[in-house]
Amino acid sequence: MDNSTAEKGSPGQEQQAAGVGILLQIMMLVLSFVVGHVLRRHKFYYLPEASASLLIGLIVGGLANISDTERSIRAWFNFHEEFFFLFLLPPIIFQSGFSLSPKPFFSNFGAIVTFAIFGTFIASVVTGVLVYLGGLMYLMYKLPFVECLMFGALISATDPVTVLSIFQELGTDMNLYALVFGESVLNDAMAISLYRTMSVVRSNDPSGQNFFMVIVRFLETFVGSMSAGVGVGFTSALLFKYAGLDIDNLQNLECCLFVLFPYFSYMLAEGLGLSGIVSILFTGIVMKHYTFSNLSENSQHFVSDFFHLISSLAETFIFIYMGFDIAMEKHSWSHVGFIFFSILFIAIARAVNVFSCAYLINLVRPAHRQIPSKHQKALCYRLRGAMAFALALQSVHDLQEGHGQIIFTATTAIVVLTVLLIGGSTGTMLEALQVVGDGHDAHLGEGFEGNNGYVPTSREEDETTGNKLRMKLKEFHRSAASFSEIDRNYLTPFFTSQNGDSEDEEDDPMPSSRRGIYHGHS
């Protein structure tokens, strides 16, 4: 940056600026955690922790902007997207996968995959097409079609932090919780794969691209990254099962190795030209389900707390940085129309995504297990966060002619508005839809696979309509149920030293959300 060249003349000044910048960051982190804790203790849901962190960043950024320290502080607060993708996002994404409870996740596996894979694809394409049409109709700044699809992909990455923490506090239906959490976890992986695919399409030959090749490129990124992550996860499970590290004097080594595996997965995928984020997510899911039960009890407590801590710090820091960045950056606020219509189009795309996927899922499920209308409405109520912001930051470097800057400004504005407005009104929305308190206590027992809620079972229901779509969906439904059987009968005994049931019973079907470090302390 220009400011850094001015600073380089005096090493003493540069060191002092670094110290002030880092001190400011630490102070804001401490303040965010304290304010977040106080808000939780007093059950004040109108300002969630994420919103509080963002506001703290905005206030400090605004104060720095009007003081003469702007030059030096800006130099030490200006991070590149590599910092996000290498240091901040991996622990957050790994924790997402790691904190998934296997039972509710696999019980709703078919529905979660439908929302996360098919639904995110629909949302991305609908948003991209609407933004492109908006440009053609002069409603907003006109972007090329592929860049509109890139924007659609990055903005379809939803963030569950605030919504899930309020779900936890108020208590909501365990199936709705599993759907929201599972979808948001896999949705990040899908969004980044779509963004990468569109980025590659754009850089190669935007005009003469074969649609079939685009699909192949996407599958290559997504399936390749997923395979790398699952492979590393299974390798870690076998290592911990047979290496005999779970004896007392090797606990330190056991924890060190466990913590290194996620980063190994991330770097392996990046080295192969795949997506490290997608890879580390699936490593988290596999390591929690298989590797975790091979650890000694003390190590299990340590790694759970460690990843909660790191992801919580990273998440808070990202929201603070977003607030700080808005106050300090020179954003292209001239494109207010782009921001306004983008928000409108995203809301439309999210509704199309949720209601179309829910319709397909309800085609398969018998009447008493269908996703109710009020749960579908709750699923529409989602905010954007860390992943969308990081991808938008990358788009500044990926797209020339100021297009990346427009997308970055729009994304930042959307993240702030959704975090403050949607985050603050989630509690009210849950109460209005009457989904609060649905089965909050039921999750403590083993009734997860009982007849309450809409957990799918392998039982086949005779349907009068013999329509082909319904039959195809039923086959997928059966395969999801049979995967649970394979997992229980073959995978769990092979990869774990225990039968794995004890761990599932301990598991809270409402796992701590990404900010779950406070769970149990309020």
Side-chain angles (χ1 to χ4, degrees):
M1 303 303 289
D2 300 342
N3 299 337
S4 56
T5 51
E7 297 293 330
K8 279 181 183 173
S10 164
Q13 266 188 318
E14 195 180 343
Q15 196 174 349
Q16 187 185 6
V20 171
I22 292 166
L23 176 66
L24 196 61
Q25 292 164 33
I26 292 169
M27 284 167 65
M28 286 194 287
L29 276 170
V30 170
L31 187 60
S32 288
F33 281 119
V34 171
V35 169
H37 182 64
V38 169
L39 290 171
R40 254 177 189 248
R41 288 294 290 268
H42 291 90
K43 300 195 184 306
F44 186 78
Y45 300 124
Y46 298 105
L47 187 68
E49 291 161 80
S51 307
S53 304
L54 203 113
L55 287 173
I56 288 168
L58 266 171
I59 293 163
V60 175
L63 292 173
N65 219 354
I66 56 175
S67 71
D68 59 354
T69 56
E70 182 193 346
R71 287 161 61 86
S72 55
I73 291 176
R74 194 75 199 91
W76 287 100
F77 238 98
N78 192 28
F79 298 114
H80 298 288
E81 77 276 5
E82 287 88 354
F83 179 79
F84 283 92
F85 280 103
L86 287 174
F87 297 106
L88 294 180
L89 276 179
I92 294 170
I93 302 296
F94 178 79
Q95 176 61 20
S96 296
F98 193 69
S99 57
L100 268 183
S101 296
K103 254 182 194 162
F105 179 71
F106 287 117
S107 298
N108 287 290
F109 187 69
I112 287 169
V113 168
T114 307
F115 279 116
I117 308 295
F118 181 61
T120 305
F121 180 76
I122 290 174
S124 301
V125 172
V126 170
T127 306
V129 168
L130 287 174
V131 168
Y132 183 67
L133 291 174
L136 288 180
M137 293 160 67
Y138 302 104
L139 292 173
M140 57 205 292
Y141 186 84
K142 188 183 173 189
L143 292 174
F145 186 59
V146 176
E147 293 181 13
C148 289
L149 289 175
M150 287 172 75
F151 176 64
L154 71 87
I155 209 68
S156 64
T158 57
D159 195 293
V161 181
T162 303
V163 177
L164 288 184
S165 62
I166 292 167
F167 271 26
Q168 264 182 332
E169 294 291 328
L170 296 178
T172 187
D173 183 274
M174 56 194 162
N175 295 294
L176 176 61
Y177 189 95
L179 273 182
V180 171
F181 193 79
E183 187 234 344
S184 59
V185 166
L186 295 182
N187 158 280
D188 282 348
M190 183 70 181
I192 197 170
S193 299
L194 281 171
Y195 178 85
R196 288 260 179 116
T197 306
M198 291 303 149
S199 185
V200 169
V201 168
R202 183 190 166 277
S203 56
N204 284 353
D205 178 17
S207 53
Q209 272 291 332
N210 183 343
F211 179 73
F212 176 71
M213 289 310 293
V214 173
I215 299 291
V216 169
R217 172 72 64 180
F218 166 74
L219 289 173
E220 203 177 84
T221 306
F222 187 80
V223 177
S225 307
M226 182 176 78
S227 305
V230 169
V232 170
F234 280 145
T235 307
S236 71
L238 289 174
L239 173 74
F240 283 99
K241 181 179 178 180
Y242 292 112
L245 297 171
D246 55 344
I247 52 177
D248 291 339
N249 58 343
L250 288 177
Q251 188 190 326
N252 193 28
L253 173 63
E254 193 181 31
C255 294
C256 289
L257 280 173
F258 193 93
V259 168
L260 288 173
F261 265 101
Y263 257 106
F264 174 74
S265 163
Y266 184 89
M267 294 305 170
L268 174 69
E270 289 292 328
L272 294 171
L274 301 167
S275 167
I277 296 293
V278 178
S279 178
I280 201 171
L281 168 65
F282 284 98
T283 301
I285 294 170
V286 172
M287 286 183 78
K288 176 59 185 283
H289 197 41
Y290 301 107
T291 316
F292 188 72
S293 61
N294 293 335
L295 297 176
S296 62
E297 196 178 339
N298 287 342
S299 298
Q300 286 184 354
H301 292 311
F302 173 79
V303 294
S304 295
D305 292 344
F306 177 78
F307 286 117
H308 268 316
L309 173 73
I310 299 298
S311 68
S312 188
L313 280 169
E315 188 82 59
T316 307
F317 185 83
I318 287 177
F319 280 109
I320 290 172
Y321 178 71
M322 278 193 274
F324 195 89
D325 182 83
I326 290 163
M328 297 289 276
E329 257 325 329
K330 305 290 181 282
H331 284 286
S332 47
W333 295 115
S334 52
H335 301 292
V336 178
F338 189 91
I339 297 166
F340 173 76
F341 283 106
S342 293
I343 293 170
L344 183 65
F345 295 154
I346 288 160
I348 294 167
R350 181 70 191 166
V352 172
N353 162 2
V354 171
F355 294 121
S356 60
C357 288
Y359 174 75
L360 290 175
I361 293 160
N362 285 344
L363 274 180
V364 183
R365 295 181 169 183
H368 64 288
R369 295 184 190 281
Q370 301 208 339
I371 301 176
S373 169
K374 59 183 183 180
H375 287 187
Q376 293 176 34
K377 289 170 188 164
L379 280 165
C380 289
Y381 213 74
R382 302 295 291 282
L383 49 90
R384 271 67 185 165
M387 178 59 81
F389 181 74
L391 286 173
L393 195 62
Q394 188 171 324
S395 75
V396 175
H397 296 265
D398 291 346
L399 308 176
Q400 281 73 45
E401 300 163 11
H403 291 176
Q405 191 59 50
I406 292 165
I407 286 175
F408 180 57
T409 302
T411 306
T412 311
I414 289 163
V415 168
V416 172
L417 288 170
T418 56
V419 167
L420 294 178
L421 299 179
I422 294 182
S425 58
T426 301
T428 315
M429 178 273 297
L430 289 175
E431 283 164 2
L433 290 174
Q434 298 176 323
V435 290
V436 223
D438 289 5
H440 183 52
D441 300 321
H443 77 269
L444 298 171
E446 276 297 305
F448 216 91
E449 286 159 9
N451 284 338
N452 61 330
Y454 47 87
V455 180
T457 65
S458 53
R459 181 165 57 84
E460 180 77 21
E461 292 277 326
D462 289 328
E463 297 287 343
T464 49
T465 57
N467 132 3
K468 282 184 183 177
L469 173 66
R470 192 177 288 246
M471 294 310 292
K472 288 277 181 198
L473 289 168
K474 278 190 175 295
E475 279 172 33
F476 179 73
H477 186 200
R478 276 202 304 275
S479 68
S482 62
F483 175 75
S484 299
E485 295 290 318
I486 293 167
D487 174 51
R488 189 162 59 247
N489 296 332
Y490 302 103
L491 296 178
T492 302
F494 182 74
F495 287 106
T496 63
S497 46
Q498 306 151 19
N499 61 11
D501 290 341
S502 57
E503 179 207 331
D504 283 1
E505 280 164 22
E506 282 171 14
D507 254 343
D508 190 345
M510 285 197 176
S512 291
S513 68
R514 292 179 183 176
R515 298 289 287 276
I517 194 161
Y518 295 110
H519 186 51
H521 293 285
S522 356

